[in-house]
Each structure stands twice: as C-alpha cells, then as structure tokens.
C-alpha cells in the first residue's frame, strides 16, 4: 500500500527525474515531506563496510566483497544513508574492487529503495587515497606542515581528491584540524603541528585542495574537518581521555583552524570523541550548535566519530541507555551517526521520532543537510564509475609531487662539521636501524590498513631509505639492521659492518600506530635504539640520525653524541628517495619544525607560551627548554638577514604597515629559507605570548642572491582572545621579529 502511495507521490512531484539533474531546495523539501521516520533515521545512519560485506565483522573475506543479502537488508529495512571505510580489520583494495563495490551499492539501492536516495560513501584518505591499491601516498600532515609550503600542500590535497574520486568515493574524512599541542598524543603526526597561524594556513589549502571549488566534479570530494573541538589535547596525552581546556584557550588555540576551514566552505565535520571539562562533545549543545552553527555559520553535515553515541553510555556514562544517548547526541547537533557495526542507532532513532521525543523539525534539519550534501556531490545523477577518466591515478606525475612534498619537509636539526651531505662516490656508508629498510615506518598509520603495520599491501616499486641510497652507488652503501623498534637485532654484525665505512646513518623509528593503540606512557626512545647509537658511537665515526617518528621521541641522550640529525617525520612512499637525496646533497633540506621539540619528559612548554626571553629571568620561571625550537631547521647553505625596515612605527585602527627585510644566501649552494615573522605583545591583560608567528614566506636563493621580503601587518594580526572571549588587539608596544632582527611599534 505504502509503496503505491509513495509511487503516486513520486509521479506528482517535480523531482521525478532526479537522476537527471541537481535538485532544487524545493525538491529537497518535497522529498523530505514524503520520507517516513524509518527513511529519515536511515539517512542519519552510517555503517561500516563490514556490515554489508562477506564474512564477519572484523573478520571479513579478503579482498572485501559485498554480500548482497546484507546490503539488501541495509537498504530495504534500514534505509541507510551512508557507508564508510574498508571494514574493520581489513585493508586496501584495488580501484576495480572499489568500483564494483560503489556501483553495486548504487544499483542495489536503485533496485530496492523506494525513494532511491543515493548512499554516500566516506573514507579516511588521510595522506593520499590510502585504501586504494597503487594510490599516491604522501607525507603525513605533520610533515606537510614542516614544508611551510602551502602551495605544495594544496597540490597534495588536489591529487588526493582526484585519486579518492577515482575510487568512486566522494567524501574524505580529512583533514585533521586539531592543533598538535600534546606531543604524547598518538595522533600528533596527523596534525599540522602546534602553531595556530601555520596550522591555519595549512587547513585553508587542505580544504581548497580537497574540495577544489565544489564537490561534484571528477577531482572534487567533500572534506571533513576533524575532530570538532579540542580533541588533540587530552590531559593524559592518551587518546580519547578527558581534556580540560578553558573556553578562552579553546578559542585561542583550537578553534581558528576550524573557523578557517568553514570560511573555505568545508562541507562536513566530525565530532571529537572525547570530553572537555567533563562534558562529552557529542552531547555538547554549546559546541555543536551554538558555536558551530550559530556563531561560525557552518551549514554542512556533522557526523559522529566511531561508535561515539554508544560510548555516551558505556564510556562517558552521561546516558543511562543507548536510547537516551541517541536523543542527547541528536539534540546537541549531530546529523549522522557513525554507528557503525549494527542498526541499533537507527531503530532507537525511529522510536524516538515516532513517540515525539525528538521534534520532527530537528530531524528534518539533519536530513536536509545530508540530502543537500548528496545533491551537491552530484550523487543524484550518479553514473557508473569507470577507470577511464583517471589516467593520472598513481602516476609518476603524482609520485613526483609526493616526492617534492617529502623532500621539502626534511628538517635538518644538526649538522656538525659538515657531516652532511655525504659524498656518494667517495664515502662508504652503513645504513642501519629500524626504519632503514621499511616502507611501513616511512608511512605510518592509515596506510593500506588502519594501523599501517601490514606490509602485504605496500605499493610496489617504492624505495626504502636503504634502497634509495643504494641507487646512487650500491658498492658504497651497505645495510645492517642493528635494532628493531624495541629490541636489538644483530647488533654485533651491525657494529662489524660499521667498522668498514666512513659514515653511519642510523634510521630511528616508531611502530606505525594511531588512536588508542598508539597510546604511550612517555616519549622515551626505546632503550634498544639508544643502545644502537651508543654502541656505534664507540667506533668514533660520524653518525647521522634519520628520525621517522609518529611524534617527537626524546633525543636528549643521543643528540649530543651524534654529528647530524635529519628529522623526516612520516614522509610517505617517496620518503626513502627524499631522505636519500637530502643525505647525499642532491636536495638541500628546507623543512622547519612545526612544533617545539621537547627535551625531556614533560618539557611541554610551547614556544608561544614560554615566559620572558630575558636572560635575567631565572630559568625556573621560564621552563622553556626545548631540544629544538619551533620553526627551527638548518640548510646546507647559510642565510643572512639584514635591513629590517618598517613603513611606520605606529599602527592605528584599519591601518597597515609594510615591513621589509633582506635575506641573502651567503653559502655556496642554492637553498630555500622560510622567512618567519613573529610578534611579541609586551604587556597585555592576560599573559601575552613572548613570541607568536604571524606570517611566513618560503623563498629560494642562489648563492650570493639577495631577496627583499615584504609583509604587511594589520592591527588584527596582533590579536588574542581576552577574558571576555573576544578577539582583541590591545593598545601598547609590540615587537616585530624576523630571525635576529627586531623592531618596536606602538599600536593605538
Ligand atoms: C577516527 C576518525 C576516523 C574514523 C573513521 C575514528 O576512530 O577517530 O578520525 O575518521 O574512525 O575511520
């Protein structure tokens, strides 16, 4: 009966030809007006691929394939609106397999669903389309930030969008906009680092690159801002444990990247799984509605994180039943629940709708946002996906961009006695350590599998550090493991091999991991890796460290005894080549740390929260003692800064001043430098930052070349969030600082 009724409505509605064109707002409203509670609740449900695939949840048949009966149930009985990822415990599949999955979902939906509302597929394409075989894998976000090159980062996101769409998937759960201010946190590498300004620039280009001015084209996907809000700062450093963040700090540090992304038109957001000041964000109306919708004007879809509605009962204990939890999350502002392994959410939501516990207006608002998203993605005009229009998927051109990004992220933290670069033709070198010959340790988590440790799926034809170095001069490059991540391995053989060479490259690493499996108790580097370095040091030969870490593991015991340190972050599939090229001097490192490198356990003062820089101030009052400063990174050449000038020394409302500085390459090779402009607010109503980044520019200089860099400074660039939670620039003196140059201005 109902089917007949729906059919007759369909015929009478203007959107009957919805497979032909985008829907108008009116058509979307008409559609909503004939949807049943079940269909609405279904739209608000997102399940994992595992629920509709062959095999059991977390024990799927490999490679994943759909189970048509399960899919039919999901469509007919639950009317599901969205599906995600590769299935718990599963890995990368080929582009063809993706096409089969996506095409089948659409065909079956068309066959069985009354309204034929398309199902939206979402995936974690975190550093490239990492769940599609052969896709281009880039450095993780922390390495992207270390390039200080937004143009290159934007290109990476464009390629990722292209390769994700090539797989048939229109929604990417990326980028992570959480600020990396807690080095212990297992997802530190997924952030753009600790600084608000740098992370904001990266967030901006990430959204621009992913969405590419739209979300329906063949190289456009919807971005998802993660994880709103305050997820990255758990007090314990452990994932999804409570955070205590004042409203002022939320706005000063954690909000700006999201605000920037919303201004760039980001279409979706994922909610923070944790709690802030005792309130789980999934039930926080102030954050999910008042701030996100009313203040920031976000109009897109808010999806929960993994199973987080249920966690309101069993982890946070703010709801006594799952039904109550569903109601709380929806009323706080959630549009879609990443349920993801069953349909209980859907059933409970239907009950709540039917008994009137959640107003229909609230449900319709979410359903409308979801339908608008699908419409904007072009899903109502879905055509069978084929490989043909994506000739550049996994291409050499894309790999080259990944290489450039990786190479520009390489951060030279020490280079005593010009140990680097190594002369490939004259010097014999031993490469050892856990990351010397591993693709997985270059890529980190979210690589073919969630935790990224399974090497079976690795892309063929990519080079580890050792392999890439051997390409130069195999007879001069030898390899010995020496140590795995946590235990020494063939150390004696390694020491013997080291006796035969001129220089030793020790490649340190960390097991790929993310989220709760990546929790650690402290930042110590393993005893085994430190022992390896110390044993090799006994040979009295130059030692170079290459660091491929998820987060800054402490180098305090070994930084002083080695000769050079190249910090490589998690540089991706082209990381081996990029590292090798920097070690051999084909590339001149130009990365700068996007975070303050701690020197000891708990030395967690960020560069912008240190107190006075005045040497008279007792160290205990300052407590800023990093291993390496934020923004630090050496080059094989040297730069000299001079002639810092300002167009005026007083800044009034709506004024701007022009600042100039000369930068000269005084070394003997071409190099890139990041010109970093900081300011210092001398006195303010809350303790001001002694140093805060406000602009930067990455330039390239030939030997002896000088460039004049120009920045313009506005009053609003010097603002902070005050006690009343307003962004203000207070009157008074400010210093503007570039490298060793400083000028004072007065702000009216
Ligand atoms: C993570 C998200 C991710 C989601 C889907 C969650 O556990 O926190 O960042 O997008 O899973 O895989």
């Amino acid at each position: 009966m109902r089917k007949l009724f729906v059919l007759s409505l369909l015929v009478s509605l203007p959107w009957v030809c919805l497979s032909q064109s985008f829907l108008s707002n009116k058509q979307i409203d008409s559609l909503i007006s004939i949807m049943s509670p079940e269909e609405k609740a279904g739209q608000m449900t997102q399940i994992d691929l595992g629920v509709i695939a062959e095999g059991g949840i977390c024990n799927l048949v490999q490679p994943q394939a759909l189970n048509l009966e399960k899919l039919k149930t999901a469509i007919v009985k639950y009317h599901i609106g969205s599906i995600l990822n590769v299935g718990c415990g599963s890995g990368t599949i080929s582009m063809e397999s993706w096409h089969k999955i996506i095409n089948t979902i659409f065909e079956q939906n068309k066959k069985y669903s009354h309204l034929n509302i398309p199902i939206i597929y979402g995936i974690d394409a975190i550093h490239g389309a990492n769940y599609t075989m052969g896709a281009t894998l880039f450095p993780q976000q922390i390495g992207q930030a270390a390039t200080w090159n937004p143009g290159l980062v934007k290109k990476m996101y464009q390629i990722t969008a292209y390769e994700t769409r090539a797989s048939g998937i229109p929604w990417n759960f990326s980028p992570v906009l959480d600020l990396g201010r807690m080095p212990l946190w297992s997802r530190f590498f997924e952030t753009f680092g600790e600084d608000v300004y740098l992370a904001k620039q990266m967030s901006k280009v990430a959204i621009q690159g992913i969405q590419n001015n739209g979300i329906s084209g063949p190289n456009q996907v919807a971005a998802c801002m993660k994880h709103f809000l305050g997820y990255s700062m758990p007090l314990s450093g452990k994932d999804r444990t409570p955070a205590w963040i004042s409203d002022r700090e939320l706005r000063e540090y954690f909000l700006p990247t999201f605000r920037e992304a919303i201004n760039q038109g980001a279409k979706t957001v994922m909610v923070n799984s944790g709690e802030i000041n005792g309130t789980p964000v999934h039930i926080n109306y102030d954050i999910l509605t008042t701030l996100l919708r009313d203040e920031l004007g976000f109009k897109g879809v808010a999806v929960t994180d993994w199973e987080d509605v249920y966690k309101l009962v069993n982890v946070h204990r703010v709801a006594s039943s799952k039904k109550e939890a569903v109601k709380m999350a929806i009323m706080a502002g959630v549009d879609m629940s990443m349920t993801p392994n069953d349909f209980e959410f859907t059933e409970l939501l239907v009950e709540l709708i039917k008994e009137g516990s959640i107003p229909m207006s609230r449900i319709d608002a979410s359903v409308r946002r979801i339908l608008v998203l699908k419409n904007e993605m072009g899903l109502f005009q879905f055509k069978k996906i084929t490989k043909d229009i994506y000739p550049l998927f996994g291409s050499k051109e894309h790999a080259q961009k990944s290489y450039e990004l990786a190479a520009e992220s390489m951060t030279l933290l020490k280079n005593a006695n010009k140990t680097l670069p190594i002369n490939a033709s004259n010097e014999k070198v031993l490469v050892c350590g856990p990351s010397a010959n591993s693709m997985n340790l270059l890529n980190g988590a979210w690589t073919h599998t969630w935790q990224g440790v399974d090497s079976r799926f690795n892309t063929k034809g990519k080079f580890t550090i050792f392999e890439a170095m051997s390409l130069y001069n195999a007879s001069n490059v030898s390899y010995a493991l020496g140590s795995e991540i946590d235990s020494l391995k063939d150390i004696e053989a390694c020491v013997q091999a080291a006796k035969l060479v001129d220089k030793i490259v020790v490649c340190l690493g960390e097991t790929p991991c993310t989220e709760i499996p990546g929790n650690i108790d402290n930042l110590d580097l393993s005893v085994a890796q430190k022992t390896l370095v110390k044993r090799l040091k006994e040979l009295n030969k130059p030692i170079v460290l290459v660091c491929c870490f998820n987060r800054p593991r402490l180098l305090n015991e070994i930084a002083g005894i080695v000769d050079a340190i190249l910090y490589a972050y998690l540089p991706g599939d082209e990381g081996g080549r990029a590292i090798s090229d920097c070690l051999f001097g084909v590339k001149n490192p130009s990365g700068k740390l996007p975070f303050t490198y701690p020197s000891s356990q708990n030395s967690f003062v960020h560069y912008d929260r240190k107190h006075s820089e005045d040497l008279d101030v007792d160290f205990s009052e300052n407590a800023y003692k990093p291993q390496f400063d934020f923004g630090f990174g050496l080059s094989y050449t040297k730069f000299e800064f001079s002639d810092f000038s300002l167009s005026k020394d007083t800044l009034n409302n709506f004024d701007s001043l022009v600042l100039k500085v000369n930068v000269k390459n005084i070394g003997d090779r071409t190099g890139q430098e990041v010109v970093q402009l900081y300011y210092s607010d001398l006195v303010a109503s809350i303790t001001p930052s002694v140093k805060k980044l406000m602009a930067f520019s990455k330039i390239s200089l030939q030997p002896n070349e000088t460039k004049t860099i120009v920045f313009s400074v506005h009053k609003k660039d010097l603002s902070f969030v005050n006690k009343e939670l307003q962004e203000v620039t207070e009157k008074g003196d400010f210093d503007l600082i570039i490298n060793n140059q400083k000028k004072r201005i007065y702000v009216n």
Side-chain angles (χ1 to χ4, degrees), residues 84-85 124 173 187 226-227 231 240 270 273 305-306 338 446 515:
L84 87 151
N85 272 359
D124 292 293
F173 305 136
R187 308 188 73 170
K226 298 198 306 194
H227 306 77
Y231 175 44
R240 290 169 159 89
M270 193 180 290
S273 291
D305 202 343
W306 189 268
M338 191 185 286
W446 302 111
E515 302 188 46

Side-chain angles (χ1 to χ4, degrees), residues 46 48 84-86 122-124 126 131 172-174 176 178 187 190 224 226-227 231 239-240 270-271 273 303-308 311 338 446 450 514-515:
Q46 181 179 63
D48 186 63
L84 87 151
N85 272 359
V86 284
I123 201 153
D124 292 293
I126 300 295
Y131 284 137
N172 186 1
F173 305 136
S174 167
V176 168
D178 306 305
R187 308 188 73 170
E190 292 183 52
C224 184
K226 298 198 306 194
H227 306 77
Y231 175 44
D239 190 43
R240 290 169 159 89
M270 193 180 290
V271 180
S273 291
V303 62
T304 73
D305 202 343
W306 189 268
E307 249 176 6
D308 278 325
K311 287 187 187 140
M338 191 185 286
W446 302 111
W450 175 40
T514 184
E515 302 188 46

Side-chain angles (χ1 to χ4, degrees), residues 344-376:
E344 206 177 346
F345 166 85
T346 331
E347 286 165 345
L348 294 172
L349 184 54
V350 170
E351 277 177 41
L352 287 161
I353 299 174
K354 285 189 171 164
E355 53 187 56
S357 304
I358 300 181
M360 197 56 97
S361 56
R362 171 65 201 89
I363 296 295
D364 287 353
S366 287
V367 173
R368 185 173 294 103
R369 287 179 199 129
I370 293 165
L371 297 186
V372 166
L373 178 70
K374 293 179 176 184
N375 189 35
E376 287 181 348

Side-chain angles (χ1 to χ4, degrees), residues 695-713:
F696 63 86
S697 171
K698 191 166 191 176
I699 53 167
S700 176
L701 291 172
Q702 314 269 327
N704 266 320
E705 190 184 348
T706 301
K707 276 187 183 158
T708 303
I709 308 305
V710 181
F711 293 110
S712 64
V713 177

Side-chain angles (χ1 to χ4, degrees), residues 129-143:
N130 40 244
Y131 284 137
T132 308
M133 255 172 217
T136 310
L137 296 189
F138 294 86
Q140 298 275 0
Q141 275 188 222
I142 195 73

